[in-house]
């Protein structure tokens, strides 16, 4: 079960000051856990990146001190309120789980650009890496293959992809905003932006290897530039015609201008598509599953069958909403924020730190780390959850507690009967 619950509901249910909760003491019908109680301090972000009057300072309540006397980077502090003035519930030191693509080195070419995030930029991200790429209208990402699986989400525009399999089967198809493609390791493919829109197309690539480097793909031009022409002539059964290969570029093209493909994919096919499974998926045409507080689309090998190494969810959280507390049992989560502002507290078993995110940022959550995603902005928060797995899996804290004997939950957390009744309603949704 994948639940998106609204933040007001969670606050009314779980806050120690909420009506009906009652005192946390040793009532006959209320088990109180031993030791001091968890913090009930207000711990919302203290400022917004968009607030022109914000004055970022390392102060929360009675903690910290101001003003900052040394050098400071105000734009970064505006974007990261929960790093400079963390919630009082934060504890310990969590590895950096945030990387803005704005800090990635951008590779500019005649026809587009590409920037990447790998374990070099965010060392904790050992299992997944990402590339943000833009192609001008008609521009080509040259024919290539690589050792990692490639999963793509179209951010804007329209593109044509082509694939040839080891069996000699072919697939050619178009993808538009919100759609996907997937290429298994070692499968040669091409990518070209269509003529419309005129300002080009942009997409996100995700690879199932945190050390993947976009600059180390196997490129067609780079290979043939390093093969003797007499060998090429033999390979193509053109002995004695070595001069025919004199126009091969001396260096890789990577991204370069091209003539836009015909509008109809069938007009571009050398032979009709004959692969057993499609290499594209029209996720844009899949209706979102509406939840209380937002919506979700889940896509994995159950629906996009060729995608055996990567699964994903497209999540939208309404203003004031929450992607509930949960974790993913065995696989890391690589998250890309599409729009809006949000924050996430990540629990490592020994530490909890809170990070702030906005459109263009990457988050990485190692396997089994507990977390939530809260919409802290004034517009919907939309993001991709991406996993190195053939199926999407998560465990909801609410569901776990709802399906555990109530007295056992009370003994741990001191929950009242009112909270247990809320959990019981969740249980009814499950069964």
């Amino acid at each position: 079960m994948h639940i998106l619950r609204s933040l007001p509901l969670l606050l009314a249910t779980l806050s120690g000051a909420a009506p009906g909760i009652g005192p946390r003491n040793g009532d006959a019908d209320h088990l109180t856990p031993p030791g001091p109680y968890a913090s009930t301090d207000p711990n919302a972000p203290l400022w917004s990146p968009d607030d022109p009057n914000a004055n970022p300072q390392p102060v929360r309540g009675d903690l910290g001190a101001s003003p900052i006397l040394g050098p400071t980077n105000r734009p970064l502090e505006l974007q990261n309120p929960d790093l400079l003035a963390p919630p009082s519930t934060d504890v310990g030191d969590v590895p950096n789980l945030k990387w803005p693509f704005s800090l990635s080195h951008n590779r500019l070419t005649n026809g587009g650009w590409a920037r990447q995030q790998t374990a070099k930029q965010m060392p904790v991200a050992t299992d997944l890496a990402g590339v943000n790429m833009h192609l001008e209208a008609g521009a080509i990402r040259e024919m290539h293959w690589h050792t990692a699986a490639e999963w793509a989400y179209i951010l804007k525009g329209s593109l044509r992809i082509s694939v040839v399999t080891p069996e000699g089967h072919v697939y050619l198809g178009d993808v538009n905003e919100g759609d996907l493609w997937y290429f298994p390791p070692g499968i040669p493919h091409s990518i070209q932006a269509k003529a419309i829109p005129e300002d080009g197309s942009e997409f996100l690539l995700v690879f199932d290897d945190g050390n993947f480097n976009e600059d180390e793909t196997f490129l067609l031009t780079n290979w043939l530039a390093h093969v003797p022409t007499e060998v090429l002539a033999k390979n193509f059964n053109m002995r004695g015609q070595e001069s025919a290969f004199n126009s091969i570029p001396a260096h890789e093209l990577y991204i370069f201008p091209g003539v836009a493909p015909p509008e109809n994919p069938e007009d571009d096919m050398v032979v009709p598509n004959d692969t057993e499974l499609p290499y594209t998926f029209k996720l844009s045409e899949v209706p979102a599953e509406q939840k209380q507080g937002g919506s979700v689309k889940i896509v994995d090998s159950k629906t996009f069958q060729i995608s055996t190494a990567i699964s994903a969810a497209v999540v939208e959280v309404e203003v004031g909403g929450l992607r509930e507390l949960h974790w993913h049992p065995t696989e890391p989560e690589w998250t890309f924020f599409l729009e809006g502002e949000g924050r996430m507290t990540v629990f490592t078993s020994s530490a909890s730190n809170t990070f702030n995110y906005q459109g263009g940022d990457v988050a990485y959550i190692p396997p089994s780390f507990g977390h939530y995603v809260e919409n802290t902005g004034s517009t919907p928060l939309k993001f991709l959850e991406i996993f190195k797995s053939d199926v999407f899996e998560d465990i909801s804290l609410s569901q776990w507690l709802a399906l555990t004997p109530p007295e056992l939950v009370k003994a741990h957390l001191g929950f009242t009967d009112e909270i247990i009744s809320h959990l019981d309603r969740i249980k009814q949704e499950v069964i």
Side-chain angles (χ1 to χ4, degrees):
M1 181 180 68
H2 312 283
I3 304 171
L4 284 171
R5 299 210 168 267
S6 68
L7 180 59
L9 173 60
L10 284 178
L11 284 178
T13 302
L14 301 183
S15 168
I21 294 295
R24 300 180 70 170
N25 55 32
D27 295 345
D29 296 329
H30 181 69
L31 294 174
T32 303
Y37 299 130
S39 171
T40 57
D41 297 334
N43 275 304
L46 296 180
W47 59 84
S48 166
D50 303 323
D51 183 358
N53 300 316
N55 180 28
Q57 293 295 331
V59 175
R60 183 179 285 275
D62 296 332
L63 303 176
S66 75
I68 300 174
L69 301 178
T72 186
N73 189 326
R74 189 171 186 273
L76 281 182
E77 288 160 354
L78 281 170
Q79 294 179 21
N80 298 282
D82 290 306
L83 288 182
L84 186 63
S88 62
T89 46
D90 276 15
V91 63
D93 189 19
V94 174
N96 176 45
L97 302 179
K98 175 180 178 177
W99 180 262
F101 265 120
S102 297
L103 293 180
S104 293
H105 181 268
N106 208 354
R107 179 176 179 179
L108 307 181
T109 74
N110 184 16
W113 51 261
R115 52 188 180 175
Q116 65 182 345
Q117 172 275 310
T118 71
K120 182 176 292 186
Q121 287 76 33
M122 190 161 53
V124 71
T126 56
D127 286 304
L128 293 159
V131 174
N132 178 205
M133 186 174 290
H134 182 103
L135 300 181
E136 293 180 346
I140 299 167
R141 169 65 171 101
E142 79 160 278
M143 299 164 67
H144 67 282
W145 73 97
H146 30 68
T147 58
E150 174 182 309
W151 182 97
Y153 179 88
I154 313 309
L155 300 170
K156 297 289 183 181
S158 181
L159 303 110
R160 178 159 298 161
I161 63 98
S162 64
V163 180
V164 175
T165 74
E167 297 79 19
H169 297 160
V170 300
Y171 180 85
L172 183 147
D174 288 351
V175 285
N176 304 302
E177 182 176 337
D179 292 339
L180 312 176
W181 74 62
Y182 178 85
F183 303 133
I187 299 296
H189 52 276
S190 66
I191 307 164
Q192 184 174 17
K194 298 184 67 177
I196 305 296
E198 295 180 356
D199 55 355
S201 298
E202 195 165 323
F203 46 95
L204 177 74
L205 303 174
V206 179
F207 299 89
D208 66 340
D209 179 358
N211 292 300
F212 175 84
N213 189 328
E214 171 68 8
D215 298 332
E216 296 176 356
T217 54
F218 296 84
L219 298 171
L220 177 63
T221 54
N222 197 28
W223 187 19
L224 296 196
H226 297 90
V227 176
T229 54
E230 62 270 21
V231 174
L232 293 176
K234 290 180 182 179
N235 184 78
F236 293 104
N237 199 22
M238 295 177 64
R239 295 171 187 265
Q241 303 178 58
E242 287 79 5
S243 61
F245 299 95
N246 289 347
S247 60
I248 291 175
H251 304 284
E252 65 183 46
L253 297 177
Y254 188 63
I255 295 173
F256 61 100
V259 177
E263 178 61 26
N264 188 344
E266 293 185 0
D267 295 337
D268 208 22
M269 292 180 179
V270 177
V271 297
N273 286 346
D274 61 355
T275 57
E276 182 179 354
L277 297 172
Y279 285 77
T280 60
F281 185 75
K282 295 292 185 180
L283 183 61
S284 63
E285 299 176 4
V286 176
E289 184 179 354
Q290 297 301 313
K291 302 289 186 179
Q292 185 177 357
S295 65
V296 62
K297 295 183 183 182
I298 295 173
V299 56
D300 58 20
S301 60
K302 297 175 184 177
T303 50
F304 188 17
Q305 291 180 285
I306 197 70
S307 186
T308 57
I310 297 178
S311 56
V314 183
V315 181
E316 184 167 317
V317 181
E318 297 172 359
V319 175
L322 186 80
R323 168 69 165 101
E324 65 169 339
L325 278 78
H326 66 285
W327 70 94
H328 306 280
T330 61
E331 298 300 333
E333 174 184 335
W334 191 95
T335 303
F336 181 72
F337 288 84
L338 296 164
E339 56 187 68
E341 298 172 12
R343 73 168 177 174
M344 177 191 305
T345 299
V346 178
F347 169 61
T348 71
S349 80
S350 60
S352 291
N353 285 181
T354 302
F355 301 85
N356 305 95
Y357 300 92
Q358 53 190 311
D361 289 346
V362 174
Y364 189 87
I365 304 97
S368 287
F369 281 22
H371 58 286
Y372 64 84
V373 185
E374 179 185 6
N375 186 338
T376 56
S378 58
T379 60
L381 175 66
K382 188 174 182 180
F383 54 92
L384 301 171
E385 298 180 358
I386 302 171
F387 306 90
K388 184 179 177 179
S389 175
D390 62 332
V391 294
F392 176 94
E393 292 182 331
D394 69 358
I395 295 179
S396 152
L397 173 64
S398 298
Q399 180 178 335
W400 181 33
L401 299 183
L403 298 176
T404 298
E407 294 305 317
L408 187 59
V409 174
K410 287 182 180 181
H412 281 79
L413 299 173
F415 279 1
T416 63
D417 289 339
E418 182 179 357
I419 300 178
I420 296 299
S421 68
H422 279 288
L423 293 175
D424 190 59
R425 285 196 287 274
I426 295 173
K427 179 181 68 177
Q428 297 304 318
E429 294 176 11
V430 176
I431 61 178

